[in-house]
Amino acid sequence: MSLVDRLAPPSLGSAFRWIWASSAASNLGDGIVLAASPLLVASLTRSPLLVALSVFLQQLPWLLFGFVAGAYVDRVDRRRLTIGVDVLRAVVLLVLAGTVATGVVSIAMVLVVAFLLGSAETLADNAAGTLVATAVPAERLGVANSRLFGTGIVTNQLAGPPLGAFLFAAAHGLPFAADAVCYLLAAVLVSRIRLPVTERDGTASSLRREVAEGLRWLWAHAPVRTLALTITLFNVTFAAAMSVWVLYARERLGLGDVGFGLIVTCGAVGGLVGSATYRWLEQRFSLATLMRVGLTLETLTHLGLALTRSPWVAGAIMTLFGVHAVVWGTTSTTVRQRAVPQRLLGRVTSVYLLGAIGGSAVGTLLGGAIGQRFGVVAPYWFGFVGSAVLTVAVWRSLTHIVHAAEDGSA
């Protein structure tokens, strides 16, 4: 069996292979800029406020346009939308690369680019999930999503950042030009996809009415509603703990820059294990069991990090957490894709993405405040207690959540 057959099995269909290849290309570009972007900002300003603002402006469009983006994704041809957004992102990045290369770049320009790229993500990330749900048979969505998660880890977390740092050292504008090339390649690959025709409501309607329809469907569908709330609240507890991760690694574990990089890599390695074993796990355990074990692992992750001072123990904990993160992410994504009607998938996905990002933003601020007041270990105790309470609260509901597709409306 060839490497491509292992990574994107023929049983997932030829359309998935193009989606998978496109995702690999765009994630590699994102990983390159993940390292290069903060380096560029730091070269232009020493203001902590402006550094934080560059991150916030990339998240802000989700709060401003998230619901509308979901409705728009449900209105149009998702393949063409993805191509158009990737091309536009490439153009923006090429302009930025040009200004960096010529020395006329400014921090204001970088902030504008951050907002534009964040706005594009509200459409691209939403459309990507709906493409998978359209292209892959429902019974194979778990395998498809696990492959995408695993490939994203390799390209976005392992390969992209060191490549981005290397390119930035060679020439400051080079990583942004490389990201643009990755997006153009992704657009070409998506253009090769041939999808079945998806039925859409031909009745003219306002975006506000379409957004409201998606929200009403989600609120009336108890399993999907519970899953959305679970993801949002767990993102609060996780982000609160991890908001002081770099300080925890330095002050609690005694790690330097290299050690911190290695312990971050532990999570990525665990994610690869989760991706590689997901099919095996799915065949042997119910989805409810996988989700319960995952939430238990997340709760114990916070407890373990709160108690240990050993880098080796912390690395082992983060490796296990990486396994959980991919298994949980794959399971929850698959459940949602199976449950939500195709015509509403963009709108309901936007709620999930908004909840995930909003929960992380709230958790980050909360964790920072707790760490400032009580020390770098305190956010992990908060994460442990919060996760434990949430796990108990949703434990029995998980059986209904994983059978959400049975309760979904067409």
Side-chain angles (χ1 to χ4, degrees):
M1 182 182 290
S2 69
L3 178 61
V4 172
D5 287 340
R6 290 181 180 275
L7 295 174
S11 60
L12 299 179
S14 60
F16 174 77
R17 289 191 168 189
W18 293 117
I19 294 172
W20 168 74
S22 173
S23 175
S26 60
N27 270 294
L28 178 61
D30 288 344
I32 290 171
V33 172
L34 188 65
S37 182
L39 292 173
L40 177 61
V41 172
S43 73
L44 296 172
T45 180
R46 295 297 180 185
S47 167
L49 177 60
L50 290 176
V51 172
L53 189 60
S54 68
V55 178
F56 175 73
L57 285 175
Q58 197 155 357
Q59 298 175 335
L60 179 61
W62 285 103
L63 303 177
L64 298 178
F65 314 130
F67 288 140
V68 174
Y72 192 70
V73 167
D74 285 338
R75 272 188 170 194
V76 302
D77 184 309
R78 293 157 181 170
R79 183 182 67 91
R80 292 181 179 178
L81 175 64
T82 302
I83 294 170
V85 171
D86 282 346
V87 171
L88 286 174
R89 289 196 283 191
V91 171
V92 170
L93 284 161
L94 285 174
V95 171
L96 176 63
T99 62
V100 173
T102 56
V104 299
V105 68
S106 66
I107 186 62
M109 186 176 299
V110 173
L111 295 178
V112 170
V113 168
F115 182 79
L116 291 176
L117 293 178
S119 299
E121 285 179 3
T122 64
L123 294 168
D125 290 359
N126 194 316
T130 61
L131 283 176
V132 176
T134 304
V136 179
E139 67 275 8
R140 302 290 292 172
L141 281 172
V143 178
N145 287 316
S146 68
R147 293 296 191 272
L148 290 172
F149 272 105
T151 302
I153 290 171
V154 171
T155 53
N156 190 270
Q157 298 180 29
L158 295 178
L163 179 57
F166 173 79
L167 292 174
F168 188 84
H172 287 5
L174 197 54
F176 304 99
D179 192 13
V181 172
C182 288
Y183 278 129
L184 290 174
L185 175 59
V188 171
L189 292 168
V190 169
S191 72
R192 303 295 302 273
I193 298 172
R194 295 296 177 264
L195 295 174
V197 177
T198 302
E199 182 179 349
R200 291 188 173 87
D201 187 357
T203 307
S205 178
S206 68
L207 281 174
R208 179 181 298 180
R209 184 175 302 172
E210 292 176 6
V211 169
E213 182 187 8
L215 289 171
R216 282 196 303 269
W217 184 93
L218 184 145
W219 193 253
H221 196 289
V224 177
R225 181 181 70 235
T226 302
L227 183 58
L229 292 173
T230 300
I231 291 171
T232 300
L233 294 174
F234 268 93
N235 269 16
V236 173
T237 57
F238 173 73
M242 302 310 290
S243 65
V244 295
W245 179 229
V246 65
L247 296 177
Y248 169 89
R250 290 176 181 273
E251 298 175 15
R252 179 78 171 179
L253 302 180
L255 295 174
D257 293 342
V258 174
F260 176 70
L262 290 174
I263 204 168
V264 169
T265 304
C266 288
V269 171
L272 290 178
V273 174
S275 174
T277 59
Y278 185 82
R279 180 60 175 168
W280 183 87
L281 292 170
E282 186 182 45
Q283 290 174 336
R284 287 162 177 78
F285 302 98
S286 69
L287 295 183
T289 298
L290 292 179
M291 296 184 86
R292 285 176 177 141
V293 171
L295 295 185
T296 302
L297 276 174
E298 182 159 339
T299 302
L300 294 178
T301 292
H302 298 312
L303 177 62
L305 292 175
L307 293 174
T308 190
R309 291 180 176 272
S310 167
W312 295 101
V313 173
I317 290 172
M318 291 309 297
T319 301
L320 285 175
F321 180 84
V323 177
H324 148 67
V326 168
V327 172
W328 169 271
T330 300
T331 302
S332 61
T333 300
T334 300
V335 167
R336 184 179 74 247
Q337 290 170 337
R338 289 174 178 171
V340 181
Q342 282 287 333
R343 64 185 182 84
L344 295 172
L345 192 53
R347 281 163 279 182
V348 175
T349 298
S350 71
V351 177
Y352 278 81
L353 294 174
L354 182 61
I357 294 171
S360 294
V362 171
T364 297
L365 294 175
L366 186 58
I370 293 172
Q372 180 74 22
R373 179 68 178 83
F374 300 105
V376 296
V377 179
Y380 295 91
W381 285 113
F382 170 81
F384 166 64
V385 174
S387 295
V389 171
L390 290 172
T391 298
V392 171
V394 303
W395 189 269
R396 296 185 64 180
S397 302
L398 291 175
T399 300
H400 303 293
I401 289 175
V402 297
H403 295 299
E406 298 173 5
D407 303 322
S409 55

